[in-house]
Amino acid sequence: MDLTKYIRDVKDFPKKGIDFKDITPLLLDSSATAEAVKQFEFLVEGKSIDKVVAMEARGFFFGTLIAQKLGAGFVPVRKPGKLPFSTLNQQYSLEYGTDELQIHTDAINPGDNVLIHDDVLATGGTAEAVVKLVELAGGKVVQLDFLLDLTFLNGKDKLKGYNINSLIKY
Ligand code: AMP
């Protein structure tokens, strides 16, 4: 099944010059969603995963489905002020200024094998911050799996030494 046809390009969203990859048509189709989950499962075949860590908010859709399939726990990474318990925090650079991501302090046990997931790998700044959070908590990043990789933005350059996969490349 060609998953590319379920990704909608929305020009100039959320601002002029951005070609936004909208994954909601994929989520609307249960067969295509099941196929994507199957492909994600295949990417970690034979590996033991304790936790799937996914980024707010579009990483949550497939992150929870993948965690269920793998029999792993799901860990949400969120923007400041959203998680109710004590948190580990990591700042990261944006085009203008900085932002911060957080996870709960009890989400990852030292030595946990972690799969990181998000919908899109763009410049890699978000994923890099999540890698740091996982390692701060004592987790081992087994690999990072994305639905889409915007390869022309060279996100992999920020994630050298890590195993990075995507179902669709642009
Ligand atoms: P980055 O930190 O630049 O790799 O950006 C990754 C985050 O921004 C992901 O959480 C994506 O959801 C979102 N993102 C960046 N660029 C796009 C795009 N062109 N279409 C959809 N989402 C994007």
Side-chain angles (χ1 to χ4, degrees):
M1 184 188 279
D2 179 14
L3 295 178
T4 316
K5 65 178 189 209
Y6 297 95
I7 308 300
R8 174 165 53 198
D9 274 32
V10 183
K11 301 254 177 263
D12 298 324
F13 181 88
K15 56 183 183 183
K16 208 164 172 46
I18 304 284
D19 178 12
F20 191 85
K21 301 295 183 197
D22 177 18
I23 67 167
T24 61
L26 176 59
L27 296 169
L28 265 180
D29 188 298
S30 69
S31 306
T33 297
E35 171 64 21
V37 173
K38 208 192 302 172
Q39 292 187 22
F40 277 124
E41 249 187 296
F42 182 68
L43 290 177
V44 277
E45 210 176 18
K47 292 180 186 166
S48 163
I49 301 293
D50 301 303
K51 305 280 163 60
V52 175
V53 174
M55 291 80 129
E56 175 178 340
R58 289 182 298 275
F60 294 173
F61 302 130
F62 283 100
T64 48
L65 293 171
I66 296 166
Q68 268 295 301
K69 281 281 179 196
L70 300 181
F74 175 76
V75 179
V77 173
R78 302 213 60 183
K79 295 282 177 67
K82 302 287 186 188
L83 290 170
F85 188 59
S86 60
T87 58
L88 296 171
N89 310 330
Q90 181 64 51
Q91 291 209 332
Y92 64 108
S93 304
L94 297 171
E95 200 176 348
Y96 301 103
T98 60
D99 208 341
E100 192 174 297
L101 291 174
Q102 305 186 330
I103 55 169
H104 274 154
T105 48
D106 64 351
I108 293 169
N109 300 316
D112 271 355
N113 285 324
V114 173
L115 167 66
I116 293 175
H117 166 75
D118 201 1
D119 65 334
V120 174
L121 175 62
T123 66
T126 308
E128 184 186 29
V130 176
V131 165
K132 286 181 181 162
L133 273 178
V134 169
E135 293 180 345
L136 199 62
K140 182 179 180 304
V141 177
V142 175
Q143 65 191 58
L144 297 93
D145 291 349
F146 301 88
L147 192 57
L148 316 174
D149 182 354
L150 307 181
T151 59
F152 53 90
L153 293 174
N154 301 312
K156 281 185 177 173
D157 289 355
K158 286 209 175 78
L159 303 164
K160 287 211 171 89
Y162 294 93
N163 179 358
I164 300 154
N165 307 278
S166 55
L167 302 189
I168 302 168
K169 293 177 179 57
Y170 288 91

